[in-house]
Amino acid sequence: MYLVVEQLLNGLQFGLLLFLLAAGLTLVFGIMDFVNLAHGSLYMMGAYFAATFVAWTGSFVLGALLALGATLLLGIVLEYVALRHLYGRDHLDQVLATFGLILFFNDAVRLIWGPAGLALPLPAWLTVPVQIIPGVYYPAYRLMIIVVALAVAAMLYLVVMRTRVGMLIRAGASNREMIGALGINIKLLFTLVFGLGAALAGLAGLMQAPILTVQIGMGENILILAFVIIVIGGIGSIRGAFMAAVFVGIIDTMGRAFLPDLLRKVLSGAAASTAAPALSSMLIYLLMAIILVLRPEGLFPAAKR
Amino acid sequence: MADTKMADTKSAEPLLEVDAIETCYGLSQVLFGLSLKIKAGEMVALMGRNGMGKTTTIRSIMGLTPARSGAIRFAGEAVRGLPSYKIAKLGIGLVPEGRQIFPNLTVRENLVAASGNRLGASDPWTIDKIHALFPRLAERTSNMGVTLSGGEQQMLAIGRALMTNPKLLILDEATEGLAPLIRDEIWSCLSMLKGRGQSVLVIDKNVGNLTRIADRHYIIERGRTVWGGTSEQLIAEPELQHKYLGI
Amino acid sequence: ADSVKIGFVSTFSGPTAVIGNDMRNSFELALDHLGRKIDGKPVEVIYEDDQQKPDVGKQKTEKLVQSDKVDFIVGYIWSNVLLASLKTAVDSKTFLISANAGPSQLAGELCSPYVFSTSWQNDQTPAAMGLYMNQKGVKSVFLIGPNYAAGKDMLAGVKSTFKGEVVGEEYTVWPSQLDFSAELTKARNSKAESIFVFYPGAAGVQFLNQYAQAGIKVQIPLYTAFTVDELSLPLQKDNAIGIPGAQEWVNDLPNAENKKFVEDYRKKYPGLRPTYYGAQAYDAAQLINSAVVAVKGDLTKKDAMKAEMEKANFKSLRGPFKYGNNHIPIQNFYLQDVVKDADGQLSLKTVATIVKDDQDKFHDKCSMK
Amino acid sequence: MVDPLLRVDNLVRRFGGITATDNLSMEVLPGELHAIIGPNGAGKTTLISQLTGQVMPNSGTIRFAGRDVTSLPSYKRSRLGLARSFQITSLLKDFSAIDNVALAAQAHDGHSFRFWGNARKERHLRATARAALERVGLGQRADIVVSQLSHGAQRELELAVALATKPQLLLLDEPMAGLGVTESARMVALLKELRKEVTIVLVEHDMEAVFALADRITVLVYGRVIACDVPDAIRKDEEVKRAYLGDQHAVTRHG
Amino acid sequence: MMPKLNASNAVAALLCVALVLLPVYSAVTGNIFILTLFTRIAIYALAAASLNLIMGYGGMMSFGHAAYLGIGGYAVGILAAEGIGSGFIQWPVALAVSALFALLIGALSLRTRGVYFIMITLAFAQMAYYVASALSRYGGDDGLTVYKRSDFAGLINLSDRNQFYYLCLACLFGGLYLIWRIVNSRFGLVVQGVRSNEQRMQAIGFHANRYRLVCFVISGTICGLAGALLANNTDFVSPAVMYWTRSGDLMVMVILGGMGSLFGPVVGATVYLLLEELLSQFTEYSGLILGPVLLLIVLFARGGIMGLLGRMSRG
Ligand SMILES: Nc1ncnc2c1ncn2[C@@H]1O[C@H](COP(=O)(O)OP(=O)(O)OP(=O)(O)O)[C@@H](O)[C@H]1O
Ligand SMILES: Nc1ncnc2c1ncn2[C@@H]1O[C@H](COP(=O)(O)OP(=O)(O)OP(=O)(O)O)[C@@H](O)[C@H]1O
Ligand SMILES: [Mg+2]
Ligand SMILES: [Mg+2]
């Protein structure tokens, strides 16, 4: 029983980890309707900035703050120089352009920091495992991730769904021309929102770096997961993205934890040991396919909220 | 609203002055030196058959399809070439052709998103006032824009433009798709607004109502203003209506 | 020909470029040590990037064979890239020296007179680790590895020699799995005495991070193959201390060539440390040198060159080794551990010899006798 | 008494909390021009959409030409001879006007799993399309891409597309909306012609047109039929005046 | 329709002539590798052209198109491994299996639209990838070597460099001709109409999804052919060819060349693969150049390279 609870916790936590990255993407893709493949690159930049600044300042918190500022700035520059011209355009144009950015960032990082990756060690106060219920230890840092993810989720929801700025962003995504005709400087607004999205990507990168790695291309596989989450949740729905992230985290973790044993009960040993890993590899995609076949607009279609 | 003040200011100079503008969509030119003027507190109608360039005129004024040449002055400022949000901020509220309400926002959010009182009208529009004007919207307040009926969308588009508390209200196809009752209400609402000093530029096919409440009219033919004058003049020249409007 | 032309296929872009770079660095160093000449002829090396994609690797190999008409092709980090490229080299009778990839097919049914390895067959390293665990008296193990061919080979390798009980075996999604907490939880709950993992590159960093942060490092000891090396160590830092691994080459092996190699490497590439990938590439250069010298530079004498290479008649950085019938080294495997060296830096250190003259178990499947 | 061409019984459609079609029953007789009027949001468009299959009713039946079509998808109903125009213009924006119409003709000219011949060179499709365009007065603008047509022209094209499917029953959702005075007059004339050939259901807020054209008028309010009668009776109906027409002058002095 | 003489048609024609004459150049200069390179380009161009059919004309953004490359390839590879070397069996099987797979995932995926469609096709391709990785009998992750190229009873020798090249070219041109006929046919117009406005097409009497599905299957089948060619060209198939990044590459080729233009994908594949090859010759940091080039093309050349050329010739 303990085991199930602990694995559930693992799943929840993994889901929140994914949500951190998905959060920025919901903003930029779900709400501004801009397909930004380079979101993964911003995530990577966040991690590299953090690793560099932490090493430089010697303080995790200070380094993280600097890194946040740096990705925010980078996002704004990127938007200002190139991406703002792509808003009204076809999604595929955005795909191609931001794919180009991925190539660029990967090689730029390799040129600047070398191919080897960086270490982002945690301060000692975050490395201790915490006993949350008797017998169950949890890494302190992961608890912090949970807190940050929940805070980000709440903030996003409030800003986007409850404030006028959020309304303007959503309105601007569906009809830029009209929002301009209402006297709102949508360009500036979008630049800022894109910057915020970039900062969120950076936040995800720097939060995840101590658990995962700081590596070139670190954003690409996880980006696909983030897209999966947003799509399962229903594009444009923050609540959907949050629920889907948790859902995916739990299903994925539980699947890997219990599927092999389950299969071994039904199949012969040899068949099970080849089928189980293959199946658990596919699980997320299988899940997405099933959900989309049954609910072609995701679990929480945005229009109905 | 700030009626007296608004009517007074710069009454010497027109509120909006469009002078010989030329506008193209890509390579095809649509406006050929079109001119018009609106004084503060005045209600002006644009008339013309389909495809003559009425909407394009409005898009040029708003900076949505910028005019290539000519001059546009609004509230004393040259606005040709400015981005549309700056023009709108100077005090133009637009009810566009095809309504263009935000489909992914609720009715209420559509109104809130637009709300603003940049010019400091003393008695600004509020959601409650819009609801009083269009009770139908009050019933639909938390529906998504996309689910509204055609007429409801039109009401919302008008409400949204009013929420910006504009100096000049522009309505492109003001009553398209509205039921007769509501249509009457819109006309009486417009004359009420005019009575309060609101300047209005309106396009509508309903010449009868336009001549009743508008002060002056322009007729547009193939991208040019071919006639301009008061309601009395228009009524006095039925052959004009026949020639340009086909009545 | 008045020069010796060598094609070098490895990964020079993307995150794994770090491995390709190290192999190239070491190969260049080997050429420096040879005076950039082989049997008096200048050496020309053409480096090609396989982008870690099999069909790109194949295309680069074709380019080297068809367009550059090289005499030797060296490199190949990845099994699938090597397997895709093999036929091109063999069909054109160009010598191919794998300086890393060691799929079982290469040792067995796909062995070829023109193909040599300066590394190992995939199973060998983990099998050595299994032996070591026996020596330590470990009674039970929980295995974790990525769900792809090499991952399965590695776990099978341990199982082939480990005498205790395998209480669990987990395969994780490759290459995209980010979080290992489910597997770690299972491992802890299995009450196994030990955990064995194989996670190369970034995944190894990631795994060790999570292993340490989950507090399991203080509960269950970890045994590894190809998880802790000089490339990942700077990122793993203290997480790697005390974690043993098996390897056919370690930087402190006590032979003169190796000392010189390590010293010169660190001199030539300040801030970097050589790895077994590099050592294997270095050996490949030496192997080529021995063959060309033996035929006095007549590169058309392929049979003679092959015969010479089969003798492994050169000073390998890992110490002397022999070739099996399948052209895979029969060699020692060492136990390495992570320690802090004199200047406080983490480095790998040989602790013991686990097994001597180990031969892969696929050599009977090779038709060459 | 002739059998009705279209017969709707107890139709109900709800959207969340509101009932857009509330237990509605009506009949359309062959050959008549049947107008549907009602305040904004009364459920006229929703009704049309249920008749043509874009929206499925929650309950009730729709019979067309003696056949129960309630659960047929829209493309099948179109093949049976139901055609509509959309209130909010719905065209193939990146196709030329004539392509839009020709496709409609093609849809009713056998199946379209023909992979080889060049469809733009099929004479009879083009001829049908051109005829439909001429009819609505767009003959001169056949080759213009739809997105470059003015709003009014697009409204006319809507009708041409519906016509090209050679329908038995034509459902028009506010065809005059967006048309100028001239064009409206032309449209009224055209509908007068058309009604000789095909049964028409007309949703329109232009009362002049409705009273000039309709044989019968159904009035919807809040999804319910409050009246259904000949124009003169409707004009006098107090309830209709209150709910929809308003002051008499709105009807008589209009235009 | 008489093709008009303008920049984009001129480039297409030039490219065709160059492709046809390439073996001559290769024989004269002794540069064999260029032939190898362009064989691969021709194969990817065919795959990209098939993607263009659904993406450019049908509005179905498949992010899983590389799956068919793998399926066509594995059909050839597995049959070869089981001792069936005849191309007369291998290739029809490759096409049939691709068509079947397209039918299956198309039927399921076409319930969705837009980005959801992108993601569900991705999901199915990823599943195919993991299934192939689990085929340990056929090399699993390591891939499967095809020892002998498909045998066409002496009609054509696939191991001959020139013959194989011309075969690939013939498949490419054949595929393009087929696509050209299709997009101008009744069927093609319907598919394009559905892309433009599905509701309208339903309302005038078309069962939109049926046409979409058939289009999807045709496209998958053509790509399966490219897969069979690729397996023969590489003498190897592996799951890697189905990974999502490969589907991404195909998309990039199509968009780069110009979506919805017949020759766009050919130009796109050529430019993309050539750039990759050339850049890697003189820098290891090719992304620093390729990336911004892609960005600039999007910013300044709407409709890809063909779109740019088209606009240039219009003035
Ligand atoms: N986006 C566009 N691209 C090219 N031409 C256009 C575009 N929009 C409108 N036009 C053309 O410009 C001319 C004027 O159009 P405009 O919309 O201004 O007319 P209008 O007077 O508002 O007509 P309506 O009463 O039909 O709305 C028309 O001939 C139309 O075909
Ligand atoms: N998809 C939907 N979801 C929710 N409500 C809807 C939806 N479609 C329509 N409605 C509501 O149903 C009611 C009827 O709408 P409908 O479009 O049928 O009105 P209508 O009679 O055509 O009005 P108009 O004359 O203004 O076009 C409206 O109040 C509208 O808001
Ligand atoms: Mg207009
Ligand atoms: Mg309606």
Side-chain angles (χ1 to χ4, degrees), chain C residues 12 21 24 48 51 53-56 58-60 62-63 66-67 79-80 83-84 87 103 105 110 148-149 152 173-176, chain E residues 30-33 36-37 40 44 129-130 133 141-142 145-147 161 233-236 238 240 243 246 249 276-277 280-281 284:
Chain C
F12 300 116
N21 284 349
R24 179 170 52 189
E48 293 288 351
Q51 299 172 25
K53 293 176 186 160
D55 60 331
V56 176
K58 153 96 172 176
Q59 180 175 313
K60 300 296 185 182
E62 285 186 354
K63 171 180 173 287
Q66 295 169 351
S67 176
S79 294
N80 55 1
L83 289 171
K87 194 165 179 283
Q105 297 94 312
L110 285 186
Y148 75 111
K152 291 178 198 158
V173 182
W174 183 261
S176 55
Chain E
N31 185 345
I32 307 171
F33 175 66
T36 309
L37 182 63
R40 184 155 170 267
Y44 273 101
Y129 167 84
Y130 285 115
S133 301
D141 222 272
D142 274 346
T145 303
V146 182
Y147 292 103
R161 214 169 277 131
N233 182 49
T234 323
D235 302 307
F236 185 77
S238 78
Y243 202 56
R246 281 323 177 76
D249 286 342
E276 235 185 37
E277 179 65 32
S280 77
Q281 294 302 315
E284 260 160 40

Side-chain angles (χ1 to χ4, degrees), chain C residues 189-241:
Chain C
N189 281 285
S190 72
K191 303 277 179 291
E193 225 176 82
S194 66
I195 302 174
F196 170 87
V197 299
F198 159 69
Y199 278 110
V205 179
Q206 210 163 304
F207 186 88
L208 284 198
N209 278 344
Q210 299 180 14
Y211 167 73
Q213 285 164 14
I216 302 182
K217 192 171 178 194
V218 293
Q219 299 172 338
I220 312 174
L222 185 67
Y223 299 86
T224 65
F226 301 114
T227 303
V228 181
D229 61 31
E230 281 86 351
L231 297 177
S232 59
L233 198 51
L235 310 183
Q236 291 161 332
K237 300 233 154 103
D238 291 356
N239 286 343
I241 290 185

Side-chain angles (χ1 to χ4, degrees), chain B residues 195-217:
Chain B
R196 289 160 52 168
Q198 173 79 54
S199 322
V200 181
L201 175 61
V202 57
I203 297 174
D204 199 85
K205 67 172 171 183
N206 194 327
V207 184
N209 276 314
L210 285 178
T211 45
R212 210 156 38 79
I213 64 170
D215 301 307
R216 287 190 306 116
H217 307 263

Side-chain angles (χ1 to χ4, degrees), chain C residues 161-292:
Chain C
T161 52
F162 179 63
K163 298 232 174 59
E165 188 193 357
V166 176
V167 293
E169 189 176 349
E170 287 293 321
Y171 291 98
T172 60
V173 182
W174 183 261
S176 55
Q177 187 161 335
L178 307 162
D179 187 86
F180 301 105
S181 49
E183 288 75 17
L184 286 168
T185 302
K186 275 178 106 172
R188 185 170 50 203
N189 281 285
S190 72
K191 303 277 179 291
E193 225 176 82
S194 66
I195 302 174
F196 170 87
V197 299
F198 159 69
Y199 278 110
V205 179
Q206 210 163 304
F207 186 88
L208 284 198
N209 278 344
Q210 299 180 14
Y211 167 73
Q213 285 164 14
I216 302 182
K217 192 171 178 194
V218 293
Q219 299 172 338
I220 312 174
L222 185 67
Y223 299 86
T224 65
F226 301 114
T227 303
V228 181
D229 61 31
E230 281 86 351
L231 297 177
S232 59
L233 198 51
L235 310 183
Q236 291 161 332
K237 300 233 154 103
D238 291 356
N239 286 343
I241 290 185
I243 293 183
Q247 208 65 265
E248 95 289 5
W249 174 89
V250 192
N251 60 61
D252 61 349
L253 285 180
N255 64 64
E257 286 70 28
N258 196 39
K259 280 216 178 81
K260 182 163 150 56
F261 166 67
V262 174
E263 247 164 50
D264 289 356
Y265 188 103
R266 296 181 66 165
K267 227 180 283 157
K268 184 166 182 189
Y269 309 105
L272 298 182
R273 288 158 180 247
T275 69
Y276 63 90
Y277 301 106
Q280 290 153 189
Y282 187 97
D283 277 1
Q286 299 294 351
L287 180 66
I288 291 173
N289 182 53
S290 73
V292 178

Side-chain angles (χ1 to χ4, degrees), chain D residues 192-248:
Chain D
K192 274 191 179 140
E193 288 276 307
L194 281 177
R195 56 176 302 181
K196 293 176 196 153
E197 304 157 28
V198 50
T199 314
I200 295 176
V201 170
L202 173 69
V203 172
E204 192 43 73
H205 288 302
D206 183 335
M207 285 307 108
E208 194 189 13
V210 167
F211 284 105
L213 287 166
D215 296 310
R216 287 198 300 155
I217 299 177
T218 293
V219 186
L220 288 191
V221 175
Y222 285 109
R224 278 185 301 265
V225 178
I226 61 161
C228 174
D229 214 326
V230 294
D232 279 338
I234 293 292
R235 209 193 291 261
K236 297 195 190 89
D237 189 311
E238 282 306 316
E239 201 182 347
V240 176
K241 272 193 210 163
R242 210 166 40 247
Y244 181 66
L245 293 176
D247 293 344
Q248 195 63 25

Side-chain angles (χ1 to χ4, degrees), chain B residues 184-245:
Chain B
D184 289 349
E185 270 180 48
I186 298 279
W187 290 122
S188 49
C189 166
L190 286 180
S191 37
M192 182 262 299
L193 286 174
K194 190 185 127 194
R196 289 160 52 168
Q198 173 79 54
S199 322
V200 181
L201 175 61
V202 57
I203 297 174
D204 199 85
K205 67 172 171 183
N206 194 327
V207 184
N209 276 314
L210 285 178
T211 45
R212 210 156 38 79
I213 64 170
D215 301 307
R216 287 190 306 116
H217 307 263
Y218 288 100
I219 296 179
I220 295 182
E221 178 79 4
R222 294 182 204 288
R224 292 178 184 85
T225 20
V226 289
W227 184 87
T230 62
S231 292
E232 291 72 37
Q233 289 169 322
L234 189 62
I235 294 169
E237 293 186 70
E239 66 279 10
L240 261 180
Q241 295 194 29
H242 181 71
K243 182 170 174 201
Y244 294 116
L245 307 175

Side-chain angles (χ1 to χ4, degrees), chain C residues 22 37 44 79 152 155 193 201 209 268 312 332 347 353 363:
Chain C
D22 181 61
K37 286 204 158 78
E44 188 186 331
S79 294
K152 291 178 198 158
L155 298 203
E193 225 176 82
N209 278 344
K268 184 166 182 189
N332 297 352
S347 80
T353 306
H363 64 274

